[in-house]
Amino acid sequence: MKSPKDILYQYWGFDQFRPKQEDIIKSVLVGKDTLALLPTGGGKSICFQIPAIAMEGICIVVSPLIALMKDQVANLKRREIQAMCITSENSYREVDAMFDRCIFGDIKFLYLSPERLQSDIAKARIPQMKVNLI
């Protein structure tokens, strides 16, 4: 497993964490349920993205904000990290294919809206994934 600092440098180009980020990441990596409160722009996303990258499996992120999910996915893809979001905008056929990619492909982050998380297809397909973080 790569170190958090190695991942930070490889994907974000930084050689140091912002205040509190490293402590939060270490807590997540040792398996603790972790609640992190940081100000806007404080680098909260890195606090779950780095551990998820370090660990085998897929990270599921639940958000009611479609614009935020799309922005996060685009940001991860720019860094060559496989990510996708499933929202109410996707058809059943698209959702089915996307879940297949999460189960059988190399997707590292799956962003879901709360209504998609509660759907029958999500309830059936998520247990087939190797989920490392939610």
Side-chain angles (χ1 to χ4, degrees):
M1 174 167 50
K2 286 186 177 180
S3 78
K5 281 190 176 180
D6 288 343
I7 294 169
L8 179 69
Y9 185 76
Q10 178 181 349
Y11 292 104
W12 283 269
F14 302 122
D15 55 9
Q16 294 295 319
F17 287 102
R18 290 182 182 173
K20 307 218 186 273
Q21 284 180 323
E22 192 166 18
D23 292 336
I24 295 165
I25 290 166
K26 285 179 182 178
S27 177
V28 172
L29 284 171
V30 297
K32 291 183 182 177
D33 290 337
T34 305
L35 174 64
L37 299 174
L38 295 172
T40 300
K44 292 178 287 295
S45 296
I46 279 178
C47 293
F48 70 83
Q49 290 170 342
I50 287 180
I53 291 168
M55 298 163 35
E56 184 181 342
I58 187 170
C59 175
I60 297 177
V61 183
V62 182
S63 174
L65 305 172
I66 293 172
L68 174 74
M69 290 193 291
K70 288 180 176 181
D71 183 60
Q72 292 262 321
V73 168
N75 188 15
L76 288 165
K77 286 182 173 182
R78 274 193 303 275
R79 298 174 193 292
E80 299 184 8
I81 300 167
Q82 294 297 313
M84 65 173 49
C85 64
I86 298 176
T87 69
S88 56
E89 297 174 342
N90 299 110
S91 70
Y92 183 87
R93 178 178 245 163
E94 290 170 328
V95 171
D96 187 45
M98 293 166 98
F99 276 127
D100 276 348
R101 285 193 59 207
C102 291
I103 294 166
F104 303 110
D106 59 351
I107 300 300
K108 198 64 181 165
F109 292 91
L110 171 62
Y111 286 73
L112 291 172
S113 60
E115 63 272 13
R116 284 296 186 185
L117 180 64
Q118 296 174 16
S119 69
D120 290 339
I121 190 169
K123 289 177 184 177
R125 304 297 292 280
I126 289 173
Q128 298 173 43
M129 298 176 199
K130 182 168 179 51
V131 177
N132 62 21
L133 291 174
I134 297 178

